[in-house]
Amino acid sequence: MCKSAYLPRFRRSCPRLAPYLSQPDVHLAVDPEFAMYGGHKPGTVIGTMSSSDINYAINFLDKIATDNNLPPKILVIHRFTVDMVTGTASIQPTPNVQVVMDMDGWGRSREEARHLFTRHISVSPVQFTGFKSSSIRMT
């Protein structure tokens, strides 16, 4: 059981998105960086989400896709440290939800971004990996 106020808020927020997610071209992205535990303010520490958080989102999207006869939904999870997503081996994609573990290179050199991607994303990709490169310094 999670000891944070974040998880209940996250789970309460998802149903509010259902009307949008019921459209075939709308998907869901989550950013654990801003999932705050212990009363921290966003930006003061890097947040975290557990496999339980992620599996809740997967099951939520799966039900929407099934109930509305939609093509698979995509769940994008932003991550740039190992601790941002815990228990990745327990994340359970479904046939109706494709899970992408994604990283950006914000403020990093190309080599540093490549190193972090190899260290944090490609070692536990869940199902698919992604990389947002628009903010990498090319020097």
Side-chain angles (χ1 to χ4, degrees):
M1 180 174 190
C2 181
K3 297 177 182 174
S4 164
Y6 170 75
L7 182 57
R9 271 195 310 245
F10 173 70
R11 293 185 182 197
R12 282 194 311 263
S13 297
C14 286
R16 287 185 252 166
L17 300 174
Y20 307 102
L21 293 167
S22 295
Q23 299 174 40
D25 57 348
V26 177
H27 305 279
L28 181 64
V30 296
D31 195 340
E33 179 179 0
F34 300 105
M36 296 292 108
Y37 290 85
H40 294 286
K41 291 182 180 180
T44 60
V45 297
I46 297 172
T48 186
M49 290 180 87
S50 70
S51 57
S52 175
D53 300 345
I54 303 301
N55 285 331
Y56 174 84
I58 291 169
N59 292 326
F60 177 74
L61 290 171
D62 185 86
K63 180 166 177 26
I64 288 174
T66 301
D67 290 353
N68 294 284
N69 196 27
L70 299 174
K73 289 292 181 182
I74 300 169
L75 174 63
V76 178
I77 306 157
H78 180 64
R79 179 185 195 188
F80 57 86
T81 72
V82 171
D83 293 338
M84 284 178 72
V85 179
T86 60
T88 55
S90 299
I91 295 174
Q92 302 285 320
T94 68
N96 290 318
V97 180
Q98 299 171 348
V99 180
V100 178
M101 196 67 71
D102 154 88
M103 184 187 128
D104 66 28
W106 189 85
R108 295 181 175 91
S109 70
R110 195 175 349 177
E111 287 304 313
E112 184 182 11
R114 184 180 303 132
H115 170 75
L116 291 172
F117 183 83
T118 301
R119 185 172 169 201
H120 300 305
I121 304 300
S122 62
V123 294
S124 55
V126 179
Q127 192 174 15
F128 299 104
T129 59
F131 190 84
K132 179 183 134 193
S133 63
S134 63
S135 58
I136 295 177
R137 287 192 330 248
M138 300 311 282
T139 58

